[in-house]
Amino acid sequence: MYHKFDVVIVGSGGAGLMAAMQLPNASVAVLTKVYPTRSHTGAAQGGVAAALGNREEDHWKWHMYDTVKGGDYLVDQPAAEILTRDAIDAVYELEHRGLPFNRTEDGLIDQRFFGGHTRNYGEGPVRRSCYAADRTGHMILQTMYQSSIKNEVRYFNEFLVLDLLINEGQACGVVALEIKTGEIHTFHGKAILFATGGYGRAWRVTSNAFACMGDGMSIAYRRGIPLQDMEMYQFHPTGIYKVGVLLSEAARGEGGKLLNGKGEYFMERYMPTLKDLAPRDIVSRCIVQEIKDGNGIDGKDYVYLDVRHLGAEKIAEKLPDITDFARNYLGVEPITEPVPIQPTAHYAMGGIPTDIDARVVLDSQWTPMPGFYAAGEVACVSVHGANRLGTNSLVDLIVFGRRAGKHMAKFIEETSHVPLPANHEEFSREYVDRLYSSTGGESAAHIRSELQNEMIDNVFVERTDEGLRHALDKIADLQEAYKKVQLQDKGKRFNTEMMEAIELGFLLDCSEATIHGALARTESRGAHFRLDYQKRDDVNWLKHTLAYRGTKAHDVRLDYKDVILIDDPIFKPKERKY
C-alpha cells in the first residue's frame, strides 16, 4: 500500500510530536508502534531544564556550563549553547499550548533542584527543573498530542518501520509493517524524521519501555549511516532493585538521599558539594563502589533511596508516581521504609549524528543527507557528550524536535518528492518472508535473554578489555544464531512474535556498535568507565566515535570526528569536581 505526504515522522514521542507541531501547513504522517500517548517520553518524571530563574537567579550560560561539564567535555559546545538558549522559549511554548506545570505562589512555572545543575559555574545546586509533579513527560505527551490533532496530523498507529528509502542521495520514504494486518506499506515523503528513541532493552535491568529497541538507529546503520558515540550509554543510579523501573532524580531533587548497609548517607564522602545531586555517571559508580566495598544492604548488590524524612505530605504532593512504583513493584512503603535501588540502563547519549537543525550527517566533514532528520534519543547532536544531565533529555527533544520541524517546513517548500528507488519494498518483504519461512529452530526470546545478560555483565557501569572482548564474541555468536530464528506463530494479524524477532535484530546492531566503540576507547569518560584505563585522555580521545556497519559479517569500521569547542576559558576541558 502506498501513502504520500510532505513529511513522514517515525516515532510519536516528544521529539516527533514537537516537530509535527511546527508544520501546521504541511501534510504530516506520524508512524508509531504504539498509541502516541504510550510513547516512552511519558516515562520521564522529574522535569525539563530551562534557566527561567523563577525561584532564584539563573542564566542559560550556567546551564550550558553544567551541560558541557556534565558531559565530560565530549559535548559539541555550540550545540549546547543552542540547547540552553532555546530551552527557555521551548518551555514557554509548551506552557502556552496548555502544559499544566506546577506553579509558584506567584503563578510562575515552579522549578526544583536536579542532579548536576548549578549556579554560577558550579558553586552549588540551583532550581532549574520545570516540572509537573513527577509526571512531566506524561504531561508533555498529552499536550503535544492534542496540539497535533488540532493541526490534523495523520497518525498510523501500530506500524513497525523496517527500512529507510534513499534515492539520488536523498531520503525519500520508509517501508513499514502494519502490525494489525501484516501488510507492507510504503510512505513517500519530501522529508523523513526519525524520532524513535533509544535501545535500553539491550540490557536485562533497564528503565526503558518494551518499545525501546533501537529501531531508528539500526535502520540508519544498515543503510550506511554511521552511529556516533554509542559507547556512551547512561546507567541511572536509582532503578528499582531487579526491576529497573526508574525512581526519578526528582526524589533526590526534593531532598531524598542514598543510604548504604551501614546506615550512612555515603554520597557526602564522594561528592562533598553536590552530594546526592552529582551527575548520574558519578552517582552510579559510587553505588557500585559501595557494593564492591561490602556496603550493600545485607551484603547484597543494592543500596537504599531514603525519602522518609521528607514527610508524607511532601511525598504525596511532589513524588506521587515514583512512590507508587515502590509500593507496587516492591511492596515497600516509602513514607516509612527506604527503597532498594540499583543502577539501571537508562539513556543513549549516542545515536544518529545530526547538526543543530537535526539534519543527519554522514561523516566527519558534517556532510548532510538531504531530506533525512533525527531528533530525541535516537539522535546525537551532541549535547550530552559522555553523560546526560537529568532533565536535559526533555530539553533535547523539545529544542531539537522544534528545530527539526522548522527546518523541514522550509525544506519541503524548496523541494519536490524524489522518486522512490526501484524495488523499494524488496528488502523489507524478503526480511519478513525469511522469518516466516525459517526452520532454523532458534528462539528470538532466548537470543534476546542471552544478549541482555551479556550486556549487563560486561557492558555496564564498569568495563574492561577482557569483558568487552567477551561481549564482542558473544554478540557475533548471537548474530549467527539470529539468522536461524524460527517463528512458532505463522499468522499475519498482530503477530507480536514476528515483531519481537525484527526488533531483536535492531538490538543486536546497536549492541555491536556500542561494544566496538567501547573497546576502542581506551580511556574513562563520563558513563564510559574502564577499570583498565581509569583516566580521561583528552590528548587522544577528545573526539567523537563514528561506527559504520562493515560489508562483512560482524565487521564494524570506526572513524572519528573532532569535538567542537568554543573560544571561552570557562568551557575549556578540565577535571570534573563536584
Side-chain angles (χ1 to χ4, degrees), residues 29 49 55 60 105 125 137 186 212 253 282 297 303 338 366 369-370 424 449 505 562 571:
R55 291 291 300 272
W60 67 262
E105 292 180 358
T186 294
C212 297
I282 294 174
I297 306 302
V303 295
W366 294 83
M369 173 177 280
H424 56 272
S449 179
D562 293 335
F571 301 106

Side-chain angles (χ1 to χ4, degrees), residues 42-100:
Q45 299 163 356
V48 51
L52 306 184
N54 288 348
R55 291 291 300 272
E56 58 187 302
E57 183 182 2
D58 199 6
H59 300 283
W60 67 262
K61 201 169 181 179
W62 295 354
H63 185 188
M64 178 183 171
Y65 171 83
D66 293 333
T67 298
V68 171
K69 181 181 177 183
D72 219 350
Y73 298 95
L74 199 69
V75 173
D76 286 333
Q77 294 178 9
E81 178 175 343
I82 286 169
L83 176 83
T84 53
R85 277 180 177 270
D86 285 10
I88 298 166
D89 286 343
V91 165
Y92 283 134
E93 178 177 332
L94 290 177
E95 180 189 31
H96 295 162
R97 290 181 183 271
L99 199 152

Side-chain angles (χ1 to χ4, degrees), residues 158-285:
E158 296 182 322
F159 277 70
L160 175 63
V161 172
L162 303 175
D163 194 17
L164 170 69
L165 301 179
I166 301 169
N167 196 23
E168 301 173 6
Q170 182 169 328
C172 58
V174 297
V175 179
L177 176 73
E178 184 178 6
I179 298 167
K180 178 181 178 180
T181 64
E183 293 180 355
I184 297 292
H185 293 247
T186 294
F187 293 83
H188 192 184
K190 296 179 183 179
I192 312 299
L193 170 67
F194 274 13
T196 55
Y199 64 107
R201 281 285 151 185
W203 284 265
R204 186 180 71 245
V205 178
T206 179
S207 64
N208 282 201
F210 283 99
C212 297
M213 295 288 193
D215 309 33
M217 296 179 193
S218 172
I219 291 167
Y221 185 56
R222 293 173 182 180
R223 285 299 175 188
I225 295 162
L227 297 179
Q228 180 173 313
D229 293 339
M230 291 292 280
E231 65 271 29
M232 300 304 177
Y233 197 91
Q234 182 174 87
F235 302 96
H236 195 291
T238 55
I240 292 176
Y241 181 51
K242 291 188 177 180
V243 180
V245 170
L246 196 66
L247 295 182
S248 170
E249 209 162 307
R252 285 173 287 136
E254 295 293 347
K257 296 182 179 182
L258 297 175
L259 191 67
N260 66 16
K262 295 180 177 180
E264 175 189 16
Y265 293 126
F266 59 88
M267 284 306 300
E268 298 174 3
R269 274 194 283 111
Y270 294 97
M271 297 289 131
T273 301
L274 290 188
K275 302 174 184 174
D276 297 85
L277 292 176
R280 291 170 175 176
D281 61 321
I282 294 174
V283 178
S284 287
R285 286 201 299 277

Side-chain angles (χ1 to χ4, degrees), residues 478-489:
L478 294 177
Q479 286 171 326
E480 289 301 312
Y482 179 67
K483 296 175 183 177
K484 302 175 184 177
V485 164
Q486 180 176 339
L487 302 181
Q488 296 180 28
D489 182 358

Side-chain angles (χ1 to χ4, degrees), residues 27 33 35 49 97 152 154 182 192 234 256 264-265 280 304 352 355 447 450 463 482 504 550 553:
S27 62
K33 293 194 294 187
Y35 190 73
R97 290 181 183 271
E152 298 183 346
R154 178 88 179 273
I192 312 299
Q234 182 174 87
E264 175 189 16
Y265 293 126
R280 291 170 175 176
Y304 282 141
I352 301 171
D355 65 12
I447 295 171
E450 291 282 300
R463 302 166 178 180
Y482 179 67
L504 173 60

Side-chain angles (χ1 to χ4, degrees), residues 396-415:
D396 179 6
L397 60 83
I398 65 172
V399 166
F400 291 103
R402 189 170 178 247
R403 292 180 73 89
K406 291 181 183 300
H407 198 278
M408 287 191 294
K410 296 177 183 176
F411 180 80
I412 62 176
E413 290 295 321
E414 299 166 356
T415 191

